[in-house]
């Protein structure tokens, strides 16, 4: 008999079952939000939903970009701000995961099993899939030789090639770089 256990762990409600099932965080990485942090939200709306934020500046393509670290439960995600609203969210915390448990640290070959998988190159190598419209997954650890990208080649990558960042941009189509 399996029992569902509800416990408060690190500020997140964790649902699990006896028998070794991994805990699932309530703060999911969705197509247009990470927990309380939503694409399109103003700073004021983010602070109302998530609490105080920590301002920072990041550099994209050599240009300064306004950003803020936002608490999602007891974890953090980076909100990129443009025109006074969140336009993209960066997830680098391995505790925050998609509904199907893809997170920072997931082997890139797992992404090859998803429908509509494609590899995109820009400021890094990213994987997009039809199953995760509104998100892309940055991967690192690729072999030095160039590969022709296909689901089969992605599936054949060594286990050392991992997701290192999840970008949430909230709209379908080609993922932002």
């Amino acid at each position: 008999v399996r029992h569902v256990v509800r416990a408060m762990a690190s500020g997140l409600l964790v649902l699990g079952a006896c028998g070794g099932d991994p805990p699932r965080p309530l703060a999911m990485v969705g197509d247009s939000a990470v927990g309380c942090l939503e694409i399109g939200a103003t700073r004021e709306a983010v602070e109302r939903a998530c609490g105080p934020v920590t301002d920072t500046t990041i550099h994209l393509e050599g240009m300064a970009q306004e950003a803020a670290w936002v608490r999602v439960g007891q974890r953090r995600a980076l909100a990129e701000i443009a025109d006074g609203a969140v336009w993209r969210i960066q997830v680098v915390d391995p505790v925050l995961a998609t509904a199907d448990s893809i997170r920072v640290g997931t082997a890139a070959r797992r992404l090859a099993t998803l429908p509509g998988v494609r590899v995109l190159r820009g400021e890094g190598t990213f994987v997009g899939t039809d199953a995760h419209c509104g998100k892309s997954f940055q991967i690192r650890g690729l072999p030095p030789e160039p590969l022709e990208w296909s689901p089969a080649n992605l599936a054949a990558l060594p286990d050392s090639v991992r997701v290192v960042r999840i970008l949430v941009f909230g709209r379908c189509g080609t993922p932002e770089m």
Side-chain angles (χ1 to χ4, degrees):
V1 177
R2 300 176 95 186
H3 299 282
V4 176
V5 178
R6 293 183 184 185
M8 195 57 84
S10 299
L12 296 174
L13 176 64
V14 176
L15 303 176
C18 297
D21 290 342
R24 291 174 289 154
L26 185 61
M28 290 290 171
V29 178
D31 294 338
S32 61
V34 177
C36 59
L37 178 57
E38 295 184 24
I39 296 294
T42 63
R43 178 189 178 88
E44 294 77 24
V46 169
E47 288 183 327
R48 277 193 306 274
C50 304
V53 303
T54 304
D55 292 325
T56 191
T57 300
I58 59 174
H59 296 276
L60 299 172
E61 299 176 349
M63 308 226 6
Q65 169 73 45
E66 179 185 354
W69 285 105
V70 178
R71 284 221 168 269
V72 180
Q74 293 299 310
R75 305 317 230 176
R76 295 188 322 162
L78 185 67
E80 296 179 39
I81 312 294
D83 299 324
V86 177
W87 76 274
R88 185 167 67 182
I89 303 167
Q90 293 188 32
V91 176
V92 293
D93 188 316
V95 171
L96 300 173
T98 64
D100 57 351
S101 299
I102 296 173
R103 63 187 75 233
V104 170
T106 296
R109 71 173 107 198
R110 177 158 174 234
L111 301 172
T113 65
L114 300 172
V117 68
R118 59 205 169 276
V119 176
L120 308 159
R121 289 262 167 137
E123 286 191 28
T125 302
F126 292 83
V127 177
T129 77
D130 293 346
H132 287 281
C133 181
K135 292 188 283 295
S136 62
F137 304 91
Q138 185 177 11
I139 59 174
R140 234 182 245 144
L142 295 168
E145 66 276 356
L147 295 173
E148 182 174 318
W149 291 111
S150 68
N153 285 345
L154 188 61
L157 287 172
D159 196 47
S160 60
V161 180
R162 299 276 171 165
V163 173
V164 295
R165 178 182 323 269
I166 303 171
L167 297 180
V168 179
F169 49 90
R171 57 194 173 277
C172 297
T174 303
E176 300 281 333
M177 292 293 124

